[in-house]
Amino acid sequence: MIKPIVKDVFFLGQKSEAATKQDMSVGQDLMDTLRANQDHCVGMAANMIGVKKKIIIVNMGIMNVVMYNPVIVKKDTLYETEEGCLSLSGVRKTTRYQNIEVEYYDSSWKKHRQSYSGWTAQIIQHECDHLAGIII
């Protein structure tokens, strides 16, 4: 179901809780909501649709990937960049890592450990910041 985008900074600034198998429908809501905003959005965190669970979705070019309980376990090559956010107006400067490694569960609740770089790594870092209550 397409959900409205949360813009309340107080809500967005709160840390998310671990997702469980019972939260699988949130992944579908993120998929639907990202598709509805795909002309100006490349990723979302569950708190952006009002759910304080550790779930993100990332556009990886040919497909959107939902990650449950993502954790960045490795990172290297720091760089400066600017980012916008569907929940906030404007663009802000931030620091990201060029290469990251992430552990997460997929929609079949299978655990993965995957390396990402460049634009995809940047999106994942932005969405993981949302899960930690960090507003960029």
Side-chain angles (χ1 to χ4, degrees):
M1 177 183 303
I2 298 170
K3 299 288 187 171
I5 303 302
V6 172
K7 297 182 185 280
D8 178 357
V9 234
F10 177 75
F11 183 83
L12 295 170
Q14 297 176 41
K15 291 184 179 182
S16 296
E17 301 170 1
T20 66
K21 288 182 181 181
Q22 287 69 41
D23 297 313
M24 299 300 274
S25 64
V26 177
Q28 185 59 54
D29 291 343
L30 282 169
M31 189 75 73
D32 295 342
T33 306
L34 181 60
R35 273 194 213 115
N37 291 280
Q38 68 187 1
D39 61 327
H40 56 280
C41 183
V42 292
M44 302 182 81
N47 64 352
M48 294 174 66
I49 60 169
V51 180
K52 287 193 294 184
K53 292 289 187 158
K54 292 182 179 178
I55 309 167
I56 66 172
I57 186 168
V58 178
N59 177 275
M60 296 195 185
I62 59 169
M63 61 192 260
N64 296 321
V65 175
V66 176
M67 297 179 175
Y68 296 85
N69 299 319
V71 176
I72 299 171
V73 294
K74 190 176 178 185
K75 51 192 173 187
D76 69 64
T77 316
L78 210 56
Y79 69 96
E80 298 290 322
T81 189
E82 291 184 341
E83 295 176 352
C85 181
L86 198 56
S87 288
L88 307 166
S89 59
V91 176
R92 286 148 302 283
K93 291 184 180 201
T94 189
T95 303
R96 295 289 181 217
Y97 291 89
Q98 181 66 30
N99 307 299
I100 62 171
E101 200 167 305
V102 183
E103 286 185 351
Y104 68 94
Y105 290 89
D106 67 15
S107 55
S108 298
W109 214 254
K110 180 181 173 191
K111 191 171 187 174
H112 296 268
R113 185 176 181 130
Q114 184 74 37
S115 296
Y116 299 94
S117 62
W119 180 237
T120 303
Q122 183 176 341
I123 299 166
I124 293 169
Q125 289 169 83
H126 179 98
E127 303 314 335
C128 284
D129 277 354
H130 271 292
L131 302 181
I134 300 168
I135 301 170
I136 299 291

